[in-house]
């Protein structure tokens, strides 16, 4: 029990540190928020321009929930890159904590930050489109898909965080490319049905595909979870598989970095 | 410069050590060496031909508890690699390392609780304050943040950093002050084995003297064993009870500073100084070393 308490305290260290970093880099965070709000509004206005409330909601859901998923993915994927940039990676790797503790702290902060960030965008969109009709919305469905999707995205984020461990110079860029590919194949702003066959096959492997589909059907059509089990089970499986797989792969990558001296590099 | 630590420091050190048993360092066994390095070899694969290059070859060292052991060597001789191997930041290709009887590969977590390291570049989250950085480190080592704060302030004040500076971003501090904060971070966790990798390189004479005095205090009052790599031969002579000279990843000489001076005089007919010893066993002059420093040599 004391070991668990120690590990939880250490996890909190990462949450607190990331909060301090956000506070110190508030100018960048504000700029990023403005950019995200402007992006979400621009995309949503395409729906307004077409005079289609359904298209408007479809695009809004894409903009809002892609923002959440990408913020969570980004924070976790940058777990190593931030420390490499600051030069603190070796000190964190020397600390007497489990790697899962390290990653848990990063994940919890990423999810909290993602929720706050997304809530801010949501408020602006509601103010901009006050006549939006959500009378049919099933918020329980939306919440469940957000929760399940978070687990899967966390697993993918941990896998992406490995890249800067393995590729000192280009790891961060590779994580960015991975995030872009998830955006492309997951039907964020369009139905995956318009994708070529081979891309549709890849979209079936992206958790974001199921999250966005489930959220849209819950929010726009008011569909209960019981009618969306076909979208639920892939997310459950992905969460169960991706998080342990991410932790295992992270351990292997750390060992590789220690064997080849790649923890040392800075910047 | 006082000869002993502020009494508050000693008190807060004990008071803050309220970590659960799992997080608290096991009391080092009195009979075990503080650090035992046996026949350690580390190679890196470099270049397009993927040719392995030995950074450390068959190095063996034994440090007793309370000792300050100096490691001298030219750039690229393997000093930092040796420190990283003991820190668990590199895996061993051959040989074994024990810290107070704990094998660094089999009992990694126990070893991590016993050691800390200060490197030549003070690595921090530069936008955060010294206190925020130190509290982060304290939490990682299982210390209570409320108890760690006064302890951190006491250590920083002892090193000449006023309390009013601990809330400002690290990036606003001079290099010397940053290095002192790095030393405070290491001390805060009360390591039984402290690895100092060129801690005074690049510091002005006053800061260097502050840090050297503090290292002596730590040895005297904190029951710490210290490995110190340095290019400063006067520093090594002042602080170290024993010195190893590394050349091309091998230990080519090891003795007390006095023993090395006598050896180089009697065996090679050189002047009985550490500088003569360094040049004799590394096969290069200090000027060569400075030139390599300026060209950005890394080890």
């Amino acid at each position: 029990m004391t070991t668990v308490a120690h590990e939880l305290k250490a996890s909190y260290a990462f949450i607190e540190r990331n909060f301090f970093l956000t506070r110190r880099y508030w100018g960048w965070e504000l700029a990023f928020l403005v950019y995200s709000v402007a992006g979400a509004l621009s995309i949503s206005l395409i729906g307004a321009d077409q005079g289609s409330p359904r298209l408007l909601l479809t695009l809004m859901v894409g903009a809002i929930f892609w923002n959440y998923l990408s913020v969570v993915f980004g924070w976790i994927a940058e777990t190593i890159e931030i420390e490499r940039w600051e030069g603190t990676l070796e000190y964190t790797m020397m600390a007497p904590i489990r790697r899962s503790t390290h990653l848990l702290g990063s994940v919890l902060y990423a999810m909290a930050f993602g929720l706050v960030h997304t809530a801010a965008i949501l408020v602006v969109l509601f103010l901009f489109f006050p006549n939006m009709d959500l009378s049919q919305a099933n918020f329980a469905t939306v919440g469940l898909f957000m929760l399940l999707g978070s687990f899967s995205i966390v697993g993918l984020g941990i896998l992406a965080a490995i890249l800067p461990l393995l590729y000192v110079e280009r790891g961060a860029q590779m994580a960015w490319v991975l995030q872009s590919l998830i955006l492309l194949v997951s039907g964020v702003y369009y139905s995956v049905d318009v994708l070529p066959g081979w891309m549709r096959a890849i979209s079936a492997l992206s958790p974001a595909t199921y999250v966005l589909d489930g959220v849209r059907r819950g929010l726009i059509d008011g569909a209960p979870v019981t009618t969306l089990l076909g979208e639920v089970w892939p997310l459950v499986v992905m969460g169960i598989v991706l998080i342990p797989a991410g932790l295992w792969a992270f351990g292997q990558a750390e060992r590789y970095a220690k064997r080849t001296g790649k923890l040392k590099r800075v910047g | 410069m006082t000869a002993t630590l502020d009494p508050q420091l000693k008190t807060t050190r004990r008071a803050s050590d309220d970590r659960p048993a799992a997080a608290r360092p096991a009391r080092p066994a009195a009979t075990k060496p503080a650090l035992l390095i046996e026949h350690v070899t580390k190679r890196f694969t470099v270049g397009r031909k993927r040719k392995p290059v030995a950074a450390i070859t068959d190095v063996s060292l034994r440090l007793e508890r309370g000792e300050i052991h100096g490691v001298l060597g030219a750039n690229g001789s393997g000093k930092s690699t040796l420190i990283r191997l003991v820190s668990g930041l590199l895996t061993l290709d051959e040989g074994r390392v024990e810290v107070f009887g704990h094998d660094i590969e089999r009992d990694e977590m126990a070893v991590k609780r016993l050691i800390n390291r200060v490197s030549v570049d003070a690595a921090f989250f530069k936008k955060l304050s010294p206190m925020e950085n130190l509290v982060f480190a304290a939490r990682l080592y299982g210390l209570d943040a409320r108890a760690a704060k006064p302890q951190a302030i006491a250590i920083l004040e002892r090193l000449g950093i006023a309390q009013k500076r601990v809330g400002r971003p690290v990036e606003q501090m001079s290099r010397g002050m940053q290095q002192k904060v790095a030393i405070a971070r290491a001390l805060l966790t009360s390591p039984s084995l402290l690895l100092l990798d060129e801690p005074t390189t690049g510091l002005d004479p006053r800061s260097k003297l502050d840090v050297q005095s503090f290292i002596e205090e730590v040895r005297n009052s904190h029951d710490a064993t210290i490995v110190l790599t340095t290019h400063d031969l006067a520093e090594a002579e002042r602080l170290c009870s024993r010195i190893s000279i590394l050349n091309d990843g091998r230990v080519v000489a090891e003795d007390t500073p006095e023993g090395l001076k006598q050896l180089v005089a009697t065996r090679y007919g050189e002047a009985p100084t550490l500088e003569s010893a360094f040049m004799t066993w590394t096969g290069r002059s200090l000027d060569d070393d400075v030139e390599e420093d300026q060209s950005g040599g890394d080890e």
Side-chain angles (χ1 to χ4, degrees):
Chain A
M1 190 60 197
T2 51
T3 304
V4 172
H6 167 62
E7 296 294 330
L8 286 175
K9 270 188 186 175
S11 275
Y12 177 71
F14 290 96
I15 296 171
E16 185 182 60
R17 185 205 64 191
N18 287 351
F19 171 71
F20 288 152
L21 284 173
T22 302
R23 198 172 59 181
R24 295 279 181 181
Y25 286 100
W26 67 269
W28 276 112
E29 298 302 344
L30 184 63
F32 180 48
L33 182 61
V34 169
Y35 177 83
S36 302
V37 168
L41 269 176
S42 305
I43 289 161
S44 301
L45 283 166
I46 296 171
D49 185 48
Q50 296 297 310
S52 164
R54 187 173 182 85
L55 179 60
L56 172 64
L57 269 175
T58 299
L59 292 174
M60 275 179 64
V61 167
I64 292 166
F65 291 94
W66 174 249
N67 178 78
Y68 171 74
L69 296 176
S70 60
V71 166
V72 171
F73 179 89
W75 263 102
I76 300 168
E78 287 174 9
T79 299
I80 295 301
E81 190 57 25
I82 290 171
E83 300 238 25
R84 197 185 280 291
W85 176 259
E86 297 277 6
T88 57
L89 183 58
E90 287 190 326
Y91 288 91
T92 301
M93 290 296 189
M94 272 184 69
I97 53 163
R98 296 173 205 279
R99 203 53 56 216
S100 53
T101 300
H102 177 181
L103 292 166
L104 176 66
S106 297
V107 163
L108 291 176
Y109 186 77
M111 290 172 74
F113 184 86
L115 283 173
V116 171
H117 203 264
T118 303
I121 296 172
L122 203 57
V123 167
V124 173
L125 287 179
F126 275 122
L127 290 173
F128 214 84
F129 300 106
N131 298 323
M132 207 162 19
D133 180 17
L134 292 177
S135 56
Q136 301 294 316
N138 186 325
F139 290 104
T141 299
V142 174
L144 181 76
F145 273 92
M146 287 279 286
L147 183 68
L148 291 176
S150 295
F151 287 118
S152 313
I153 289 295
V154 163
L156 278 181
I158 293 172
L159 285 168
I162 292 167
L163 295 170
L165 265 182
L166 300 179
Y167 306 98
V168 176
E169 305 287 346
R170 290 177 293 276
Q173 290 93 322
M174 292 164 84
W176 185 253
V177 168
L178 178 61
Q179 188 175 342
S180 306
L181 293 177
I182 295 172
L183 168 68
L184 178 65
V185 302
S186 302
V188 176
Y189 301 118
Y190 41 79
S191 165
V192 293
D193 295 338
V194 303
L195 295 172
W198 63 274
M199 284 177 83
R200 276 206 302 276
I202 298 172
S203 79
L205 301 174
S206 166
T209 304
Y210 303 99
V211 176
L212 289 161
D213 197 28
V215 167
R216 281 191 177 114
R217 288 167 71 178
L219 203 66
I220 301 171
D221 302 328
V225 173
T226 47
T227 62
L228 297 171
L229 295 179
E231 279 73 30
V232 168
W233 76 259
L235 285 176
V236 172
V237 170
M238 284 182 190
I240 290 171
V241 171
L242 286 174
I243 291 179
L247 289 172
W248 177 82
F250 199 99
Q252 296 299 309
E254 185 177 338
R255 180 130 189 104
Y256 169 80
K258 286 181 176 178
R259 184 164 55 79
T260 56
K262 291 193 174 184
L263 291 182
K264 172 187 158 190
R265 295 286 298 275
V266 175
Chain B
M1 199 60 59
T2 54
T4 56
L5 280 172
D6 186 329
Q8 188 195 352
L9 251 181
K10 292 180 182 174
T11 314
T12 51
R13 181 172 181 263
R14 283 195 297 271
S16 66
D17 204 2
D18 58 350
R19 289 170 274 188
R24 204 163 45 230
R27 190 178 173 81
T31 53
K32 303 276 187 186
L35 176 63
L36 184 66
I37 299 174
E38 286 190 334
H39 305 293
V40 164
T41 294
K42 179 67 187 176
R43 300 179 199 87
F44 293 110
T45 305
V46 292
R48 292 187 175 185
K49 292 182 178 174
R50 315 290 293 165
K51 188 182 170 190
V53 174
I56 291 288
T57 306
D58 196 27
V59 165
S60 296
L61 290 175
R62 181 188 172 100
L63 272 71
E64 300 304 332
R65 187 172 180 166
E67 185 180 337
I68 299 184
H69 192 106
V71 180
L72 302 180
N75 290 321
S77 60
K79 300 188 299 295
S80 294
T81 300
L82 187 62
I83 293 287
R84 285 190 169 88
L85 284 165
V86 176
S87 304
L89 294 168
L90 291 170
T91 53
L92 307 170
D93 287 345
E94 292 169 26
R96 71 190 183 104
V97 175
E98 280 185 10
V99 176
F100 291 103
H102 297 284
D103 185 280
I104 62 163
E105 292 192 326
R106 286 200 306 270
D107 207 358
E108 185 186 5
M109 207 57 89
V111 171
K112 282 180 169 179
R113 290 187 196 111
L114 290 170
I115 64 174
N116 214 320
R117 162 177 171 257
V118 177
S119 62
V120 63
D121 47 332
F124 290 105
F125 287 89
K126 302 286 192 297
K127 289 278 181 193
L128 302 189
S129 69
M131 186 54 79
E132 287 166 343
N133 274 289
L134 264 54
V135 166
F136 173 60
R139 287 194 196 280
L140 294 188
Y141 282 78
L143 297 170
D144 181 71
R146 275 172 299 184
K149 283 178 183 175
Q151 189 185 353
I153 289 169
I155 296 173
L156 288 169
E157 283 189 336
R158 166 62 192 86
L159 283 165
I161 297 175
Q163 191 172 348
K164 65 181 181 184
R165 299 296 302 268
V166 303
R168 297 184 201 163
V170 171
E171 66 182 1
Q172 292 176 9
M173 299 178 115
S174 67
R175 156 117 175 71
M177 289 178 87
Q178 289 186 19
Q179 193 65 345
K180 288 176 180 177
V181 177
I183 291 167
R185 174 175 57 190
L187 259 290
L188 190 60
T189 63
S190 303
S192 299
L193 177 64
L194 183 57
L195 307 167
L196 301 176
D197 191 5
E198 300 184 35
T200 59
T201 297
L203 299 191
D204 65 70
R206 182 180 295 276
S207 296
K208 189 178 272 195
L209 203 62
D210 279 347
V211 170
Q212 289 171 353
S213 298
F214 194 65
I215 291 169
E216 283 178 323
E217 285 184 32
V218 167
R219 189 254 323 263
N220 294 335
S221 60
H222 273 57
D223 190 25
T225 307
I226 298 170
V227 179
L228 171 72
T229 77
T230 181
H231 286 294
D232 186 330
L233 301 181
E235 177 176 284
E237 190 163 1
R238 173 182 169 181
L239 297 175
C240 302
S241 47
R242 290 186 72 79
I243 291 174
S244 297
I245 298 179
L246 274 183
N247 190 42
D248 289 338
R250 294 175 186 274
V251 175
V252 289
E254 186 197 336
D255 208 330
T256 61
E258 206 52 43
L260 287 174
K261 287 192 282 187
Q262 292 302 320
L263 197 59
V264 78
T266 55
R267 187 180 292 175
Y268 298 99
E270 299 286 344
T273 62
L274 267 189
E275 187 175 320
S276 296
F278 180 89
M279 288 191 288
T280 299
W281 276 297
T282 63
R284 57 198 294 155
S285 73
L286 291 179
D287 290 341
D288 291 339
D289 207 24
V290 170
E291 278 171 21
E292 202 169 304
D293 258 342
Q294 288 168 345
S295 66
D298 198 1
E299 50 193 286

